[in-house]
Amino acid sequence: MNTTVMKDRSQERQKRMLADYFKRLAVSRENGWKNVYTFVPGNLTELILSFDLLPVLPEINALQSGMRKKSGAFIQEAEKAGHSEDVCAYVKSDLGMLRGGNIGPTGEPLPSPDLLLLSYTGCFTFMKWFEILREETGAPTLMLHVPFQGEGRVTREMRDYVIRQLKTEVIPALEKLSGKAYDESRLAEMLARSRAMEDDLVHVLESAKRKPSPIDGYFAAVYYIGPIFSAFRGTEDAQHYYRELREEVDARIAQGIGPMTPDGPMPPEKFRLVVEGPPAWTHFNELWRMFHAEGAVIVASTYTKVGGVYDDGFRHDPSDPLGTLADYCLGCYTNRSMQDRVNMIARYVKDYDADGFMINSVKSCNSFSAGQLLILREVERLTGRPGGFFESDLVDPRYFSAANIKNRVESYLQMLDQRRTGGASA
Amino acid sequence: MEAPVITAPAPVAPIVERCEALLNDLTFETVRQWKENHPGKKAIGWLPVWAPRELILAAGMLPVGVMGASDRLEIVKGDAYYQSYICHLPRSVLELGLNGSLDVLDGVLFPSTCDVIRNLSGMWRILFPQKYVRYVDVPQNPAMSLGGRFFAEDLRAIAAELGEVSGTPVTHESLRAAFAVCNANRRAVHDLYALRVAKPWCVPSAELYLLVRAGALLPVEEHTALIREYMQLAEASAAKPMDMARVTVRGCFCEQPPLDLIRTIERSGCWIMDDDWLIAWRWFKEDLPLEGDPFENMARVFVTDSPACPTMHLAHGVKGAALKAEIKNTGSEGVLFMAPSFCDPALLDQPMIQAAIEKAGIPWSALLYAENTGQFQVIREQAGTFADALKLS
Amino acid sequence: MKCFVGIDLGSTTTKSVVLDAEGRVIGRGITNSRSNYEVACDVARREAFHSVRFALCARALEERQMDALVRTALMDSLTRGFRLAQHRAQLAALRECLTEDATQVESFHAGRDIKGPVAEIIVEMEALAEPLFSAGATLKSDFFRDIAASQYAAGAKKRSCPERRPFEALLSVFDKAILRTENRILEPDFATGAGRAIEVALAEALLSEQNAEAIRSTLREAFNVPLDVIDSAGTGYGRARLPFEKRQIRSEILCHGLGAHHMFPNTRTVLDIGGQDTKAIQVDEAGLVRMFQMNDRCAAGCGRYLGYIADEMNLGLHELGPLAQQSKAPVKINSTCTVFAGAEIRDRLTLGQKREDILAGLHRAVMLRAMSLLARSGGIHDEFTFTGGVARNETAVSVLRKLVAQNYGERTLNISTDSIYTGALGAALFALRDAPAEVAA
């Protein structure tokens, strides 16, 4: 029972943090608080917060719309306005929400953007997304071009380019918007906190190396990454959250308890899997159930690295604030080369001793999806463990075919079972 | 109106035939022959939308445009790597790679056109580890001191790598010489388009397309000469002026429309006054300067003189304004948006540009295609209806 | 006799295979899938058991050392007689449903004349029953639904008139009635079914009274052998809705792998093209799945696609392949999108393209997609087994053969005439292997 109480503590805190955050946004206009819209990968949360500006993350709003089953209507609204069925559903969900009065996930209105900080990191669509919001709202865009790690490494030139943009364009724009001067010591203070929470997050994620795993490293972990990937990195609240979460997970380990699911404690761990690709937000619990009901725990995932890859050693470095922000932006998962992604998944399969890996290929996101079938082949080749493949979408409910996905997941798990038992009871 | 039958006037026919043969050269035999005739020389491919072919040239190699395989290649292996919701171009490019047609290339440049092409660069590296592969991240921050500087540095790095591939280091001199060759080529293509605008009946769209596309396989100077020769003959042709609806086509900057699609549009009663297919060959309006640091120069021209292509982040209002100016310059009466299915840059841009030109009272119509579209009935009807509407208004 | 049953509940057809305790296939049954999965499953199973009994009869006659010609004729007439009885039982049920529905429709629409023509059509259909199962007659379909539908439509066409008896209205009565008919389990009892069939067969065989009596008792004995189902397993698209326990439900992938391996023990790669899914499966020497890929979310290029095409061209599914074989100049078709299939066909026909050339192109497009999926799953290894409904289509097979040779070189391509039963066979094998000790004993 103790664990339930402790589990509740971090969850409750996150809930409160989000409620406060959306409340602040709702009353930001009358209080004269300015906001900055930006994206999860390569987000400059500490920098934005150091100017007392409010970060708004349309991706998070879109995925929340998906989880609350509102995205379908939003998407149709955007398609009525001329947007193609073929393109990213996050964009369409966001646009539909904006056109419907920009009512956020908590039912409170979101302020329209004061600045669209276009951290162009690992996703081409980001660029178009903010161009569209610029058309809709008249807010200016501010481009932060983060070069892609096409060659599988970050060069000095790439890093300098990002730092120069921060110095000569991003910071002046934030100074102008906030009316405050850039305060590097304040930024450094926040980055130090980020560093601490990154340690805790990695501890939590890596706890899944244990058998049985105390956490689900995908479905549950998307809640764990919530604060650090969004508007809270570098805040005291988030620092507490991660400390609490770490303690809760440690307690679970001590008690030998497995992951908790929306349907209650997970059945005994039967399969350990790595997952590549984002979840299908519109059917999040349903998708999770297809795994946990069969005793399949996700021990590691790439999606939980989109807002920062911390488990390969990177930490924000308060002694070099702008340099560390540049490193952070350049290192996000979707900004990495295909080979890097292959290596990362293969490493997860080995390090977490997974039985195999599955790819959820989402229609919306070419950055993730284009090439996943080669990733599948390569990871199988490197690990000798089988991969599985299914398709869905981020927030377009029309692309979630439960029967179709269940069929693939079930077949995959039965295959693993059969391979394991060598057909003895196959 | 009655769709005119457009036949190649006799004098240009041999040129057009040659270009069509080049379009149909799916095994890159042309490049193979060039290499045979130039022992020890190498060839480097590049993908749409734009890549610095000047650098390839300056390293003494043949730049080869890899523009997909239209509807003429059966895709077996390429499809194995792509889900149904991804555009067609990367499938055919992979098919060409996996079936050995692209073995003749010693390397490939993949520009930062979109996430699909970006990821294809990584796939190429894995699938063809023995080949030179380079991702060319063009600057999205247009300030010279920021994006410009980064790009100049990157161009320097690419030049050094290409020099290593070819064994002939790129020097300022050789790069300037390449600039001169490509400047002349761009001027020829610009002139060809100007002729098209002045006398569309002398330069049928399909011929114009074939001529520019020939530049994917021909050495640059030979391509320039071919265009010039064609223009001389076309200008002198006896083709009679004809009045048809004048449209600008937008959206085909990467995955190329099948030739028959271009023919279909013209046969439906539309003069295509301007388009954005094969836009790499007229990416700059200005010449690249032949004085000063050529890397700096190229980067500077790139950040100041690139077209309003959906692959670029542009300042507010620029895209709509650019299209309106183009419409005015070419005397177009309407816009035909032709995007390849699942093309994120084109499709995400479209509603914004449509709104801008709608505000200006310019009519438009939109259709989707894929490089392997084999059915034009619907397109014929749509383009025909659009042409009729334009003539009536 | 101990039996193990496998059921494959597919989107188009439901199949059943019965194994004996030694793992030999002793019966197969098939029916069209329908809204009531339980009934579909039950009908397929009954059909499989009927085939077991007929096989037992044939074996018993063989053991009597009966003349082969006489035996074949006897079995043929026995089968036809039994089928006729089944058909009549279904017709009787259909009559009931049709009458009810026609009455209802007429009471809703004053001035319509529906009951009369429907009654006439039923009489006509009943008169057609006997010739349908007479010696030498070939059935257009194995399924009552298809036969009844075409007979009814012909009858309705003759009797329709726009004002009082609109064709559509007549058809809709049938569409409703057949659904209800199908979802009932209809079996003639032994006396009217097998019993009468035996009498008819014996009469047709012109046997002496004494001889006839001996054979009668042999056949009756064979028909009455107790068949004990030790265990069952289910698979297929609708497997989750089969009336089985969870342990008895197997994924199609595993079943197709095992089934194909059982039919052709050297199988390493399996391609299955079913109604909704295409599957490429790699199996090891024991028939265990190493890797698999299924078509992506889009059902383009699956069996159902050919179904749409057949509907669009007003052809039976089994007529597509032979027609495509006649093509001299196949057209190039790049899209196998089911959504656009109809429009594409109409456009092409308008352009004057020949049906056979379009069909040849379509078959190629379908097989190209299958090739991609095979490549995705790890290629084609020797031996290569092709299963599923589409494997019965000779054009599809010949296109596949060429594509395999082009892309992978020489491969042994296995196709069983019973390939449609592969999934059900795999399921039955699982039932045999996994039957809990207490039930198997």
Side-chain angles (χ1 to χ4, degrees):
Chain A
M1 279 303 95
N2 199 13
T3 51
T4 322
V5 176
M6 288 179 67
K7 178 179 174 292
D8 281 344
R9 239 175 69 202
S10 74
Q11 241 178 14
E12 285 306 317
R13 182 185 290 276
Q14 183 170 165
K15 231 168 117 182
R16 183 183 52 69
M17 283 161 70
L18 280 169
D20 288 352
Y21 164 72
F22 283 108
K23 191 142 280 145
R24 270 203 309 276
L25 287 175
V27 298
S28 61
R29 277 283 168 263
E30 54 259 45
N31 287 291
W33 300 333
K34 297 282 171 48
N35 70 64
V36 176
Y37 277 44
T38 197
F39 294 108
V40 168
N43 71 69
L44 302 174
T45 297
E46 298 93 338
L47 186 65
I48 295 168
L49 290 173
S50 79
F51 286 95
D52 291 320
L53 294 164
L54 294 168
V56 178
L57 296 131
E59 288 158 287
I60 306 278
N61 296 336
L63 77 85
Q64 295 265 13
S65 298
M67 287 184 108
R68 291 176 308 122
K69 312 265 181 210
K70 301 217 176 218
S71 55
F74 289 156
I75 289 165
Q76 278 173 1
E77 194 57 39
E79 287 178 1
K80 262 191 261 163
H83 283 273
S84 167
E85 204 180 303
D86 290 359
V87 300
C88 173
Y90 263 0
V91 180
K92 289 184 285 187
S93 174
D94 189 39
L95 182 62
M97 184 176 89
L98 187 70
R99 292 207 164 174
N102 215 14
I103 305 300
T106 52
E108 293 154 300
L110 293 170
S112 75
D114 294 313
L115 179 68
L116 298 160
L117 174 54
L118 208 177
S119 60
Y120 172 54
T121 306
C123 165
F124 186 89
T125 300
F126 285 166
M127 205 158 86
K128 299 287 130 186
W129 191 338
F130 274 6
E131 286 176 9
I132 289 168
L133 289 192
R134 182 174 70 186
E135 292 289 321
E136 289 291 312
T137 65
T141 53
L142 176 62
M143 165 59 82
L144 173 67
H145 177 194
V146 178
F148 178 68
Q149 290 194 37
E151 314 302 298
R153 62 177 189 273
V154 175
T155 63
R156 188 183 48 76
E157 288 81 6
M158 288 158 76
R159 191 172 188 269
D160 288 350
Y161 178 30
V162 177
I163 295 172
R164 277 202 312 277
Q165 292 178 85
L166 291 175
K167 273 189 187 154
T168 61
E169 288 193 338
V170 176
I171 289 174
L174 297 178
E175 283 179 326
K176 197 175 147 212
L177 181 65
S178 64
K180 288 183 182 163
Y182 169 56
D183 181 348
E184 190 154 288
S185 63
R186 190 169 176 208
L187 176 61
E189 211 176 284
M190 299 185 91
L191 291 170
R193 277 200 289 269
S194 299
R195 191 184 181 91
M197 61 183 83
E198 285 153 8
D199 282 339
D200 289 340
L201 174 67
V202 171
H203 178 86
V204 167
L205 294 178
E206 291 190 338
S207 71
K209 288 182 181 169
R210 294 168 179 276
K211 289 184 185 175
S213 170
I215 63 160
D216 185 285
Y218 181 57
F219 293 105
V222 300
Y223 290 99
Y224 305 157
I225 58 174
I228 204 167
F229 280 10
S230 63
F232 306 98
R233 201 176 58 232
T235 66
E236 282 176 37
D237 243 351
Q239 197 179 354
H240 288 307
Y241 169 83
Y242 284 101
R243 183 40 53 105
E244 280 163 14
L245 179 67
R246 179 183 185 141
E247 287 165 5
E248 286 161 16
V249 171
D250 282 345
R252 282 222 289 272
I253 295 169
Q255 297 181 34
I257 298 175
M260 183 61 85
T261 78
D263 301 338
M266 210 184 114
E269 178 179 302
K270 193 169 167 203
F271 304 103
R272 296 169 65 82
L273 301 177
V274 171
V275 168
E276 142 79 13
W281 300 111
T282 48
H283 298 75
F284 185 85
N285 285 344
E286 193 175 349
L287 184 62
W288 189 355
R289 191 171 301 124
M290 290 181 198
F291 289 90
H292 71 64
E294 302 294 329
V297 63
I298 316 302
V299 287
S301 61
T302 53
Y303 180 72
T304 50
K305 314 298 173 334
V306 283
V309 180
Y310 298 112
D311 57 352
D312 66 351
F314 170 78
R315 295 287 182 279
H316 278 93
D317 176 6
S319 71
D320 176 16
L322 298 186
T324 204
L325 285 177
D327 291 335
Y328 161 74
C329 291
L330 287 157
C332 288
Y333 179 68
T334 48
N335 206 47
R336 299 202 172 202
S337 71
M338 188 70 52
Q339 186 65 59
D340 263 11
R341 288 173 63 190
V342 167
N343 294 344
M344 189 190 271
I345 300 167
R347 198 180 69 229
Y348 285 162
V349 170
K350 286 180 183 153
D351 290 357
Y352 289 77
D353 194 17
D355 300 300
F357 63 102
M358 283 207 95
I359 294 179
N360 177 21
S361 170
V362 294
K363 170 186 171 284
S364 275
C365 188
N366 286 342
S367 174
F368 259 104
S369 302
Q372 274 174 332
L373 287 157
L374 180 63
I375 292 181
L376 181 84
R377 205 191 79 178
E378 285 298 296
V379 175
E380 276 178 351
R381 195 177 58 80
L382 290 174
T383 63
R385 314 255 166 109
F389 196 83
F390 61 95
E391 288 178 50
S392 66
D393 190 52
L394 295 168
V395 290
D396 191 338
R398 295 170 298 187
Y399 283 85
F400 191 92
S401 164
N404 189 303
I405 296 170
K406 194 157 194 284
N407 196 359
R408 279 148 184 76
V409 173
E410 242 176 52
S411 299
Y412 178 76
L413 296 178
Q414 287 190 11
M415 175 179 79
L416 287 185
D417 201 26
Q418 197 187 44
R419 283 167 66 121
R420 184 184 293 166
T421 53
S425 89
Chain B
M1 69 173 290
E2 189 57 32
V5 177
I6 298 151
T7 48
V12 297
I15 298 178
V16 175
E17 271 164 34
R18 180 171 176 215
C19 292
E20 188 150 5
L22 287 169
L23 179 80
N24 290 324
D25 179 7
L26 291 179
T27 54
F28 291 75
E29 198 45 46
T30 315
V31 179
R32 241 170 280 271
Q33 264 165 25
W34 181 88
K35 283 177 97 171
E36 259 170 45
N37 298 336
H38 299 80
K41 295 268 189 184
K42 293 185 170 172
I44 300 289
W46 57 275
L47 266 81
V49 173
W50 176 91
R53 57 187 176 136
E54 287 83 353
L55 301 185
I56 303 170
L57 214 53
M61 298 187 282
L62 179 72
V64 177
V66 181
M67 319 304 286
S70 193
D71 55 346
R72 290 152 298 138
L73 185 68
E74 212 164 59
I75 310 297
V76 181
K77 300 185 178 82
D79 264 350
Y81 291 99
Y82 286 107
Q83 303 89 324
S84 53
Y85 54 76
I86 287 175
C87 61
H88 202 271
L89 177 102
R91 302 166 199 269
S92 64
V93 172
L94 260 189
E95 189 79 23
L96 290 170
L98 295 168
N99 74 11
S101 298
L102 294 180
D103 286 355
V104 70
L105 301 180
D106 300 283
V108 184
L109 303 184
F110 293 86
S112 53
T113 299
C114 68
D115 292 333
V116 174
I117 303 258
R118 181 196 78 182
N119 287 3
L120 183 57
S121 75
M123 294 168 73
W124 213 264
R125 218 178 274 275
I126 292 171
L127 289 165
F128 308 102
Q130 70 287 8
K131 299 277 184 177
Y132 172 67
V133 178
R134 184 55 145 90
Y135 180 66
V136 183
D137 207 344
V138 303
Q140 295 294 357
N141 188 321
M144 187 55 205
S145 60
L146 299 169
R149 184 166 142 197
F150 167 72
F151 196 40
E153 285 161 351
D154 207 30
L155 288 172
R156 245 179 227 118
I158 299 170
E161 291 163 19
L162 287 169
E164 266 176 43
V165 173
S166 75
T168 309
V170 176
T171 63
H172 282 204
E173 279 321 303
S174 69
L175 188 50
R176 285 193 198 108
F179 283 4
V181 169
C182 291
N183 284 343
N185 184 256
R186 271 186 292 269
R187 275 201 300 274
V189 178
H190 282 304
D191 289 348
L192 179 64
Y193 269 83
L195 176 62
R196 161 80 186 172
V197 169
K199 297 180 183 174
W201 46 88
C202 292
V203 188
S205 282
E207 291 185 9
L208 173 132
Y209 181 82
L210 283 169
L211 265 166
V212 181
R213 177 76 184 259
L217 295 185
L218 289 181
V220 182
E221 279 154 313
E222 197 179 333
H223 183 225
T224 310
L226 193 71
I227 294 173
R228 293 290 177 201
E229 188 190 347
Y230 171 90
M231 284 174 65
Q232 249 182 1
L233 295 169
E235 251 178 313
S237 96
K240 284 203 197 93
M242 215 180 331
D243 193 24
M244 300 209 294
R246 291 164 189 252
V247 303
T248 284
V249 165
R250 278 293 178 274
C252 329
F253 45 85
C254 176
E255 183 169 322
Q256 295 296 299
L259 192 61
D260 280 337
L261 173 53
I262 299 172
R263 290 195 177 114
T264 299
I265 291 170
E266 205 158 62
R267 282 179 191 154
S268 317
C270 294
W271 290 132
I272 300 170
M273 306 308 287
D274 190 42
D275 60 68
D276 58 356
W277 49 62
L278 304 171
I279 197 167
W281 278 271
R282 1 175 234 155
W283 191 262
F284 304 130
K285 289 200 174 74
E286 293 169 30
D287 277 350
L288 290 167
L290 304 180
E291 315 286 321
D293 183 325
F295 296 107
E296 298 274 325
N297 283 335
M298 192 170 199
R300 186 182 312 278
V301 174
F302 189 91
V303 294
T304 56
D305 193 35
S306 287
C309 184
T311 60
M312 303 299 297
H313 177 61
L314 299 168
H316 192 41
V318 167
K319 274 180 270 208
L323 181 55
K324 280 185 273 184
E326 212 54 56
I327 290 167
K328 195 161 167 249
N329 291 341
T330 59
S332 297
E333 300 157 292
V335 180
L336 199 50
F337 288 99
M338 266 176 39
S341 294
F342 302 110
C343 174
D344 270 2
L347 291 169
L348 285 163
D349 242 26
Q350 242 181 46
M352 292 187 272
I353 312 177
Q354 282 163 355
I357 62 164
E358 216 164 76
K359 230 186 202 167
I362 300 162
W364 58 268
S365 183
L367 52 89
L368 282 178
Y369 72 93
E371 64 168 347
N372 69 336
T373 299
Q375 266 295 86
F376 305 108
Q377 189 88 333
V378 178
I379 292 171
R380 180 174 304 139
E381 258 166 55
Q382 197 180 337
T385 310
F386 187 52
D388 290 348
L390 288 180
K391 294 319 292 177
L392 287 174
S393 61
Chain C
M1 182 171 199
K2 283 182 178 173
C3 300
F4 298 85
V5 179
I7 305 270
D8 176 1
L9 211 167
S11 61
T12 324
T13 53
T14 302
K15 285 80 58 174
S16 175
V17 164
V18 182
L19 300 180
D20 65 14
E22 276 73 51
R24 285 180 303 226
V25 176
I26 52 171
R28 297 186 187 86
I30 185 166
T31 186
N32 53 311
S33 295
R34 59 200 77 187
S35 57
N36 189 328
Y37 284 25
E38 223 164 303
V39 173
C41 166
D42 195 71
V43 172
R45 184 167 31 207
R46 281 167 191 273
E47 287 295 322
F49 280 114
H50 293 325
S51 83
V52 173
R53 297 204 180 276
F54 284 119
L56 290 174
C57 288
R59 201 183 299 168
L61 294 180
E62 210 178 321
E63 279 162 10
R64 283 183 62 88
Q65 314 220 320
M66 196 174 188
D67 174 71
L69 275 176
V70 180
R71 196 178 72 220
T72 313
L74 188 69
M75 280 310 298
D76 178 58
S77 99
L78 181 61
T79 320
R80 281 185 289 104
F82 184 75
R83 294 279 172 229
L84 175 62
Q86 270 187 320
H87 184 79
R88 282 190 168 136
Q90 282 165 316
L91 264 183
L94 181 63
R95 165 189 276 275
E96 210 176 286
C97 296
L98 277 173
T99 313
E100 270 173 35
D101 291 343
T103 311
Q104 208 182 7
V105 170
E106 215 178 87
S107 68
F108 276 129
H109 301 275
R112 285 263 167 98
D113 176 20
I114 302 292
K115 270 194 318 199
V118 166
E120 282 172 38
I121 299 170
I122 300 171
V123 172
E124 198 172 83
M125 288 168 76
E126 282 165 348
L128 284 170
E130 190 141 1
L132 215 51
F133 295 92
S134 62
T138 47
L139 286 170
K140 275 201 167 169
S141 166
D142 294 332
F143 307 139
F144 175 73
R145 163 196 276 262
D146 298 344
I147 297 166
S150 82
Q151 288 178 348
Y152 183 93
K157 204 162 187 183
K158 272 193 289 188
R159 291 174 178 80
S160 67
C161 72
E163 289 301 312
R164 301 191 55 236
R165 303 164 163 189
F167 181 61
E168 292 304 320
L170 289 173
L171 272 197
S172 74
V173 174
F174 176 82
D175 290 345
K176 241 177 101 188
I178 188 74
L179 278 184
R180 290 195 293 135
T181 311
E182 272 196 336
N183 287 337
R184 285 156 58 170
I185 295 165
L186 300 160
E187 279 295 310
D189 58 39
F190 185 79
T192 51
R196 188 177 301 169
I198 290 171
E199 294 314 315
V200 173
L202 290 174
E204 280 181 8
L206 300 171
L207 298 167
S208 68
E209 188 55 39
Q210 191 189 2
N211 214 351
E213 185 45 44
I215 290 171
R216 181 178 295 118
S217 72
T218 305
L219 290 177
R220 281 180 174 268
E221 203 176 302
F223 260 98
N224 286 321
V225 170
L227 299 175
D228 302 325
V229 177
I230 304 301
D231 205 4
S232 303
T235 188
Y237 190 72
R239 63 183 179 275
R241 290 166 66 185
L242 284 170
F244 288 150
E245 291 171 44
K246 191 167 183 241
R247 68 156 188 93
Q248 294 173 297
I249 305 284
R250 293 290 174 165
S251 95
E252 296 156 84
I253 297 291
L254 264 53
C255 290
H256 275 88
L258 195 58
H261 181 264
H262 188 264
M263 291 197 248
F264 302 101
N266 293 324
T267 297
R268 289 298 174 274
T269 303
V270 182
L271 171 67
D272 174 77
I273 308 188
Q276 288 289 345
D277 278 321
T278 301
K279 314 170 192 76
I281 309 169
Q282 309 289 347
V283 295
D284 65 13
E285 56 285 348
L288 304 185
V289 177
R290 285 195 302 115
M291 173 51 54
F292 71 93
Q293 283 288 326
M294 293 169 91
N295 59 296
D296 47 35
R297 209 189 144 278
C298 158
C302 298
R304 180 53 58 88
Y305 172 73
L306 289 174
Y308 286 129
I309 301 303
D311 289 348
E312 193 59 44
M313 290 194 166
N314 247 327
L315 293 167
L317 198 51
H318 56 282
E319 293 173 278
L320 294 181
L323 188 53
Q325 289 288 72
Q326 295 167 20
S327 168
K328 300 243 158 30
V331 300
K332 198 161 177 240
I333 289 176
N334 295 316
S335 161
T336 50
C337 178
T338 39
V339 181
F340 299 117
E344 171 129 19
I345 301 294
R346 284 191 292 276
D347 280 355
R348 289 182 180 279
L349 289 170
T350 321
L351 289 173
Q353 293 177 344
K354 289 188 190 150
R355 287 203 305 182
E356 56 266 35
D357 294 341
I358 298 172
L359 281 175
L362 287 169
H363 279 81
R364 189 168 178 84
V366 167
M367 297 324 283
L368 276 170
R369 274 189 72 94
M371 289 297 291
S372 286
L373 202 65
L374 284 159
R376 226 178 249 189
S377 78
I380 299 177
H381 304 278
D382 224 15
E383 293 171 4
F384 175 41
T385 301
F386 181 23
T387 68
V390 178
R392 297 204 284 196
N393 179 319
E394 50 188 302
T395 305
V397 172
S398 76
V399 172
L400 180 65
R401 208 179 282 282
K402 272 184 221 140
L403 285 170
V404 172
Q406 266 167 33
N407 287 281
Y408 296 93
E410 272 314 302
R411 291 285 183 274
T412 304
L413 175 60
N414 302 315
I415 297 170
S416 159
T417 45
D418 297 318
S419 82
I420 197 164
Y421 294 102
T422 310
L425 171 60
L429 288 165
F430 276 119
L432 176 68
R433 281 190 186 188
D434 294 353
E438 68 274 13
V439 286

